[in-house]
Amino acid sequence: MTGGVMLSARVPGLADLEMLLAVARTGSLSAAATEVGVTQQALSLRVRSMETRIGVSLLLRTPRGSSLTAAGVVTAQWAVKVLDAAAELDAGIAALRSDQQAHLRVAASLTVAEHLVPGWLVALAARQRAVGKVPSAAELEATNSDTVVRRLLDGAADVGFVEGPRAPAGLRSRVVGTDRLLVVVPLGHPWARRRTPVDVAQLAGTPLVSREVGSGTRQAFEHAVAAQLAGDVPLAPPALELSNAAAVRAAIIAGAGPGALSSLAVADDLALGRLRTVDVPGLDLRRQLRAVWLGPPVPPAGAVRDLVAVAAGQRRTRTSDG
């Protein structure tokens, strides 16, 4: 279809037009067949099929060679314009693919961006070099999961990485790993010295230091608690709402309250004894880490597909905070 008009079945294909022009240039079916890389018989059959499709004779065949009929000359003139336009389209598509390969825009939830995506990008560059490609220039935006989705829907990112209880609506996704949140408190908190576990209802009723609305961490935590309590116990309002994991960690260490964060975000604090984990029996704080993109069921060919493959290939237990 062009300009809203459906082309008729009489319009030849590009390959047929190229063969017609080859005959016009060489004046011989045999020479034309050699030029386009097919047998003379195959070329002759293609031209006859084109003549049948169009409904006019295009070639005058004689023992001394072949020449274009008057209709063939006019068709060849049109064919030059069509093939020039096709070549321009082909070059444009190649440029688009090259640009897509060369520049990769990634949006990822915060701790995924801080702890996982850099390693994936290094692995992607190594993979590209191994097959003779120039590594993609990557642009990484670290934000919360809701914003990652908006960036993709707005066309401001090529691929995203999020976590949460379910795949985002309107996007394609692939699970590339798993994540686990930990409930943590500072050493001076009563729960740090508690001999018995904290139950889910008590956790739900305690004001926590929390990420902002739209964070994958907050979504996953609230979903897990609600699933365990079947919605019977409302969550207490947050003691603080903060926009990144570092601020949440600092507030918990300062004594603002317990909180739930990715084990990646608190690994150093646990190792150094600044924080302790709190056991909450029955609360499943595992979540899926997903690559997300807009468009077809599989990631777009090029750097996006390669990066998703790298992330999925490093499929060990991961933790993230969005």
Side-chain angles (χ1 to χ4, degrees):
M1 182 179 293
T2 176
V5 178
M6 184 70 72
L7 296 175
S8 77
R10 296 189 180 277
V11 176
L14 297 178
D16 293 336
L17 295 178
E18 288 177 337
M19 290 184 182
L20 178 65
L21 292 181
V23 175
R25 284 192 299 271
T26 63
S28 161
L29 288 174
S30 175
T34 300
E35 182 176 301
V36 299
V38 299
T39 65
Q40 179 178 340
Q41 182 181 17
L43 186 141
S44 180
L45 289 173
R46 291 288 291 268
V47 173
R48 289 191 182 281
S49 175
M50 182 166 44
E51 289 175 321
T52 300
R53 169 178 286 192
I54 295 174
V56 297
S57 177
L58 300 174
L59 290 185
L60 180 62
R61 300 166 176 84
T62 70
R64 295 187 300 274
S66 300
S67 60
L68 298 182
T69 64
V73 170
V74 174
T75 302
Q77 291 172 345
W78 292 332
V80 169
K81 295 178 181 179
V82 171
L83 292 172
D84 284 347
E88 183 178 355
L89 175 62
D90 188 32
I93 291 172
L96 289 174
R97 288 175 61 85
S98 176
D99 182 66
Q100 185 179 56
Q101 181 73 29
H103 187 206
L104 179 62
R105 301 170 301 167
V106 183
S109 55
L110 290 169
T111 301
V112 183
E114 293 170 1
H115 295 276
L116 298 176
V117 176
W120 296 342
L121 292 175
V122 170
L124 171 65
R127 171 182 287 202
Q128 291 172 326
R129 289 192 192 96
V131 295
K133 295 180 181 178
V134 176
S136 301
E139 174 187 338
L140 173 61
E141 179 182 5
T143 183
N144 66 34
S145 293
D146 280 2
T147 304
V148 171
V149 173
R150 288 198 299 272
R151 292 287 186 269
L152 288 164
L153 293 175
D154 292 343
D158 303 310
V159 63
F161 294 95
V162 299
E163 71 292 302
R166 59 185 65 86
L171 295 176
R172 304 289 187 173
S173 69
R174 177 181 178 181
V175 175
V176 295
T178 57
D179 171 39
R180 182 176 180 84
L181 300 178
L182 300 175
V183 178
V184 293
V185 295
L187 298 187
H189 193 278
W191 289 358
R193 301 183 299 274
R194 185 179 173 123
R195 294 183 178 275
T196 59
V198 174
D199 63 37
V200 179
Q202 184 178 3
L203 179 65
T206 301
L208 305 178
V209 182
S210 174
R211 285 288 306 278
E212 80 284 7
V213 174
S215 157
T217 292
R218 180 162 173 168
Q219 292 171 0
F221 177 78
E222 292 181 350
H223 178 82
V225 171
Q228 184 67 19
L229 297 176
D232 294 335
V233 179
L235 287 170
L240 284 175
E241 291 186 10
L242 300 168
S243 63
N244 59 70
V248 172
R249 285 173 43 245
I252 295 171
I253 291 170
L261 283 172
S262 160
S263 64
L264 280 178
V266 298
D268 289 344
D269 299 301
L270 293 173
L272 295 172
R274 289 191 292 256
L275 292 174
R276 286 191 178 174
T277 58
V278 176
D279 184 26
V280 186
L283 184 63
D284 185 0
L285 291 178
R286 292 172 298 174
R287 56 184 178 174
Q288 292 180 321
L289 175 63
R290 292 181 175 87
V292 289
W293 64 91
L294 186 65
V298 297
V304 170
R305 186 178 299 175
D306 292 343
L307 180 60
V308 172
V310 166
Q314 298 181 7
R315 199 185 172 101
R316 56 183 179 273
T317 300
R318 300 181 177 96
T319 55
S320 65
D321 170 45

